Amino acid sequence: MKKEWKICIAPYKLAYSILFLLLFALVRGVTLTSEIGPALMPGAAVLASVFCAETSVMDRNGQRWEIICLKPEKNRIRMIYRRWIIQAVYLYVTVLAAYFTFTGRSLTA
């Protein structure tokens, strides 16, 4: 599981996902708390697609797929599910943090 975490959540991915959502919260203004969801979701969707697609590209470029193909099919499926769950949980927590960044900004403004 530790290896999966290192592959899925590399330090540069942490940096660009957090910076993206924080800068998005600073640039995109909201006046009401009901506007936070519609303002945040398009950016979060783009971030999620880039975040998850980049893992697949890195597997192909790093030739990890050749090693993965040597494993039994059950282990391959389990590995893909683990990676997807790790990324989904990380992105969910990050988007929640961005939501509260928006909320804090809109309440103090």
Side-chain angles (χ1 to χ4, degrees):
M1 190 67 140
K2 189 174 181 181
K3 185 195 299 185
E4 302 293 336
W5 178 264
K6 285 182 180 180
I7 291 171
C8 294
I9 314 292
Y12 68 92
K13 286 176 130 181
L14 289 171
Y16 79 69
S17 63
I18 292 171
L19 285 174
F20 174 78
L21 289 172
L22 288 177
L23 291 175
F24 195 73
L26 292 174
V27 171
R28 175 76 184 210
V30 294
T31 55
L32 301 171
T33 55
S34 62
E35 295 176 355
I36 295 172
L40 187 61
M41 282 303 129
V46 170
L47 178 65
S49 62
V50 168
F51 199 85
C52 294
E54 198 270 338
T55 301
S56 175
V57 169
M58 292 305 290
D59 280 344
R60 287 194 178 101
N61 289 344
Q63 293 157 343
R64 287 189 285 247
W65 278 108
E66 294 174 1
I67 297 169
I68 292 169
C69 287
L70 296 174
K71 294 181 178 184
E73 186 174 353
K74 185 177 178 181
N75 291 354
R76 282 186 272 173
I77 292 170
R78 190 177 298 146
M79 180 202 61
I80 291 169
Y81 281 141
R82 273 189 298 204
R83 287 185 182 183
W84 185 82
I85 288 170
I86 290 170
Q87 291 175 350
V89 168
Y90 171 75
L91 289 169
Y92 184 75
V93 169
T94 306
V95 170
L96 278 178
Y99 176 81
F100 289 116
T101 303
F102 265 112
T103 304
R105 183 170 176 258
S106 65
L107 291 177
T108 58

